[in-house]
Amino acid sequence: MKKTVILALLLSASNVFSQNPLTIPTTIETTTINLVLQEGITQFYPGINTNTMGANGALLGPTLIMNQGDNVNITVDNQLQDTTTIHWHGMHISPENDGGPHSIIYPGTTWNPQFTVLDKAGLYWYHPHLHMKTNEHVSKGIAGLIIVRDSEEAGLNLPQTYGVDEFPIVMQTKGFDASGQILIHTESDTLPMVNGTVDAFVDFPAQVVRLRVLNGSSQRTIEFGFSDNRSFSLIGTDGGLFTAPLSRTRYRISPGQRADILIDLTTSLGNNFQLMSFASELPNAIYGAAQPGMGAGATNSLVGYTANPLNGNNYQLLDITVTAQTASPVLTIPSTLATFTPIAEASANITRSLTFTSAGNMGDLNGPFLINGSGFDMGVINYTVPLDNVEIWSLTNQTPIAHPFHIHDVQFFILDINGNPPPPELQGYNDVVLVPGGQGNVRFIARFNDFSDPVIPFMYHCHMLTHEDMGMMGQFLVVNTASVEEVGSLENISVYPNPSENGIINIEVGNYNGELTITDVTGRMIEKVTVNNQSTTQLNVKTGVYYLSDSMGRTVSFVVR
Ligand code: C2O
Ligand code: CU
Ligand code: CU
């Protein structure tokens, strides 16, 4: 343990120890993809064997390069001793292919998702998602990038030769026990690494170089920048390119988030500089800042947090030396990028309010944290979203620590943060947003199109994996309201007309006496009706999707247009 802390201090204090060439994950560019999840050994510290997990190797996984429109066929072969799942983070795919906690892959078995790539050019990623095991499997090493390319991007003359002028940058911190094994739920994540390489160096050519950046840390937010404060062009976020590049010297990347970054090195031949996290600049109440909580409510601290030299101090992630140009280099940064129209706030059908609280006292920084008062339950559907709905989700954080909120299925547009319009760097496509601590609020808008499933839900959760595993997660179904989609059937009860065009719904019962419960799409109870044998009850209900359940818990859905 002591050794770990000392080594990390040395690493963060200076760059003279940069001694390991940056690992560049291999790629798979075919549409038939085989991923073998396996256990292995990695040496993060010279001479110390650490047990790790990876896909097609001992640590991390290959970068999957896909084109929009591809039909991909993936086989995930679980050779681990443990059950897991694999989720395609940020991609717009059906619930059955999404790889959430319900798509379990037992040891020694395979899972075979197949889907069409609908996403815009962007950086996505894959990682395990088994309930209460996500952090363990990711911390031990399973994670990989997915680069999606499209025709719009192809027209832009952006660097896109992987490993030559386009570099994967998976930023992570990990903690280790005295015997050099990875700690799972730890605030002692003292060792920074890029692509699993500790103390890494890399040569970049003296031209425009593109960094495909992921914060794959379990908890830590990274304040991305360079040691000489050189500016870089931020050209896109989670789910796509901006309309134009933004010149920045810093960019805050919380767990799960990605950034598409260009650095113009055309006049930098021979320069040596470092990719840093400027954690001293992180405002408090973000994991990685000097203080992880804020306000009088932040009553207890995180064990080991203040002793961790990465918290509130700048540290190095990668040592960069600029070397000779390659053949046919990209030498300029395009002034315009993609075109897209954000979703207008006025087009929303509903606003859903989600409030984050602590299960303990309100100042608690350790969790578990709750969403709308409950922890995750695999058997509870928290929301039912009508297919094609445009929704505003309003996230209010009553805890003293910021939470990076992530939703599956969609990319969203941020409407406001604490009531203010988002800064330009947060006006693109996102699937993770850092919700500020201490009564912070974020509203986003998204369209839930293309995929519905009456049984398999999508997830939303905090992407601090400790918080997610402790239950800061919920799930929603997307249901098709255009067709009559029965969640079950009720032998003795019929509901008609379905869909109803005028709000009038008839519930006709045959051989049934008792109570029927009607709930709406948010799971809220609308009405209880008591019915008798051979009778018809007429109800008047507002537009929406509803569930009618009998006393046995059997359910049928109906729709009022
Ligand atoms: Cu990156 Cu639900 O996760
Ligand atoms: Cu996801
Ligand atoms: Cu959280």
Side-chain angles (χ1 to χ4, degrees):
M1 194 63 163
K2 199 166 278 170
K3 180 175 184 175
T4 307
V5 173
I6 291 167
L7 186 50
L9 276 167
L10 288 174
L11 290 170
S12 56
S14 129
N15 61 54
V16 294
F17 291 89
S18 298
Q19 53 193 0
N20 302 309
L22 178 68
T23 299
I24 305 293
T26 57
T27 58
I28 297 178
E29 307 203 28
T30 49
T31 54
T32 301
I33 296 163
N34 291 302
L35 294 177
V36 181
L37 307 181
Q38 54 197 258
E39 276 140 29
I41 303 254
T42 303
Q43 291 199 349
F44 296 99
Y45 296 107
I48 297 176
N49 288 342
T50 302
N51 297 317
T52 53
M53 292 178 172
N56 302 1
L59 187 71
L60 298 174
T63 298
L64 312 181
I65 300 184
M66 301 177 181
N67 295 297
Q68 191 182 58
D70 280 354
N71 294 305
V72 296
N73 185 328
I74 309 179
T75 303
V76 181
D77 180 358
N78 182 7
Q79 294 295 327
L80 304 170
Q81 307 292 307
D82 203 358
T83 303
T84 194
T85 81
I86 290 290
H87 164 58
W88 321 103
H89 177 127
M91 297 187 80
H92 181 49
I93 42 189
S94 69
E96 59 173 333
N97 289 308
D98 186 54
H102 296 270
S103 301
I104 285 172
I105 320 171
Y106 291 103
T109 68
T110 60
W111 178 55
N112 180 220
Q114 302 178 36
F115 55 87
T116 302
V117 179
L118 299 178
D119 308 277
K120 291 172 69 82
L123 184 66
Y124 305 86
W125 65 300
Y126 59 93
H127 64 75
H129 213 307
L130 188 70
H131 182 42
M132 301 174 79
K133 289 276 198 167
T134 299
N135 188 25
E136 177 181 342
H137 295 165
V138 174
S139 288
K140 286 188 173 170
I142 305 178
L145 297 178
I146 303 170
I147 294 174
V148 173
R149 306 205 192 277
D150 67 14
S151 55
E152 186 178 40
E153 181 199 38
L156 291 174
N157 194 33
L158 291 170
Q160 49 183 325
T161 310
Y162 184 88
V164 174
D165 62 4
E166 180 188 46
F167 292 88
I169 304 284
V170 179
M171 309 182 297
Q172 290 175 307
T173 58
K174 294 187 195 294
F176 295 83
D177 68 13
S179 63
Q181 301 310 310
I182 293 168
L183 290 166
I184 304 312
H185 185 162
T186 182
E187 270 65 66
S188 305
D189 55 330
T190 52
L191 195 64
M193 57 188 72
V194 174
N195 301 345
T197 311
V198 174
D199 203 6
F201 68 85
V202 68
D203 290 344
F204 287 164
Q207 61 203 55
V208 177
V209 167
R210 186 175 187 185
L211 305 182
R212 311 303 301 262
V213 183
L214 162 70
N215 183 351
S217 300
S218 294
Q219 305 201 81
R220 181 172 300 279
T221 290
I222 288 172
E223 192 79 357
F224 180 103
F226 297 107
S227 54
D228 53 6
N229 289 322
R230 69 178 61 220
S231 51
F232 53 85
S233 294
L234 184 64
I235 62 168
T237 44
D238 297 340
L241 293 163
F242 293 153
T243 54
L246 297 170
S247 179
R248 291 290 182 271
T249 57
R250 299 285 188 270
Y251 182 59
R252 185 169 303 156
I253 310 178
S254 61
Q257 282 188 301
R258 288 86 68 207
D260 200 344
I261 282 169
L262 300 180
I263 2 176
D264 183 351
L265 301 175
T266 49
T267 60
S268 299
L269 183 64
N271 284 188
N272 174 253
F273 59 98
Q274 288 76 41
L275 166 57
M276 306 283 296
S277 176
F278 289 93
S280 68
E281 298 171 20
L282 281 172
N284 284 336
I286 293 176
Y287 191 104
Q291 297 295 329
M294 65 159 16
T299 50
N300 61 356
S301 62
L302 294 165
V303 178
Y305 190 87
T306 22
N308 186 332
L310 303 189
N311 293 325
N313 293 311
N314 302 342
Y315 56 91
Q316 179 182 324
L317 285 155
L318 180 63
D319 187 44
I320 298 164
T321 302
V322 184
T323 55
Q325 265 177 19
T326 63
S328 35
V330 173
L331 296 173
T332 53
I333 292 175
S335 56
T336 59
L337 299 163
T339 51
F340 62 84
T341 316
I343 305 168
E345 182 171 349
S347 60
N349 303 102
I350 188 174
T351 295
R352 299 186 195 275
S353 297
L354 290 80
T355 303
F356 309 158
T357 54
S358 171
N361 71 68
M362 282 310 289
D364 188 27
L365 297 174
N366 291 285
F369 298 104
L370 309 174
I371 301 176
N372 289 350
S374 336
F376 181 64
D377 183 336
M378 288 281 280
V380 171
I381 299 296
N382 302 92
Y383 296 111
T384 302
V385 173
L387 181 65
D388 292 325
N389 231 31
V390 174
E391 306 202 345
I392 294 171
W393 287 37
S394 177
L395 315 170
T396 303
N397 181 4
Q398 295 182 349
T399 80
I401 186 171
H403 298 278
F405 183 89
H406 169 57
I407 185 169
H408 291 211
D409 182 28
V410 297
Q411 292 288 321
F412 54 74
F413 292 102
I414 299 171
L415 292 172
D416 41 50
I417 301 175
N418 291 342
N420 302 311
E425 62 269 24
L426 294 177
Q427 291 179 12
Y429 289 95
N430 292 283
D431 57 58
V432 178
V433 62
L434 191 62
V435 186
Q439 302 298 327
N441 175 267
V442 172
R443 292 190 316 139
F444 69 72
I445 189 164
R447 180 177 286 112
F448 295 79
N449 56 358
D450 300 318
F451 303 110
S452 62
D453 191 307
V455 177
I456 308 174
F458 289 111
M459 300 293 131
Y460 56 87
H461 55 90
C462 178
H463 221 289
M464 287 175 74
L465 302 182
T466 48
H467 297 179
E468 174 192 336
D469 279 348
M470 286 188 291
M472 196 177 177
M473 178 154 71
Q475 50 190 355
F476 62 98
L477 291 175
V478 178
V479 296
N480 189 348
T481 63
S483 67
V484 180
E485 202 169 283
E486 300 207 341
V487 169
S489 63
L490 296 178
E491 241 173 77
N492 280 306
I493 302 170
S494 60
V495 180
Y496 63 88
N498 189 2
S500 162
E501 304 289 342
N502 59 1
I504 303 293
I505 284 285
N506 298 289
I507 302 168
E508 187 179 327
V509 298
N511 198 10
Y512 181 90
N513 261 321
E515 222 168 41
L516 297 170
T517 310
I518 296 166
T519 49
D520 73 4
V521 293
T522 69
R524 197 172 28 218
M525 218 239 315
I526 295 301
E527 186 148 3
K528 270 192 198 298
V529 277
T530 305
V531 292
N532 299 313
N533 276 343
Q534 319 291 337
S535 72
T536 299
T537 309
Q538 199 169 76
L539 297 176
N540 203 334
V541 260
K542 289 187 291 190
T543 305
V545 181
Y546 297 90
Y547 294 89
L548 179 82
S549 312
D550 69 9
S551 54
M552 313 279 292
R554 290 171 301 194
T555 297
V556 66
S557 63
F558 65 91
V559 177
V560 178
R561 287 213 183 119

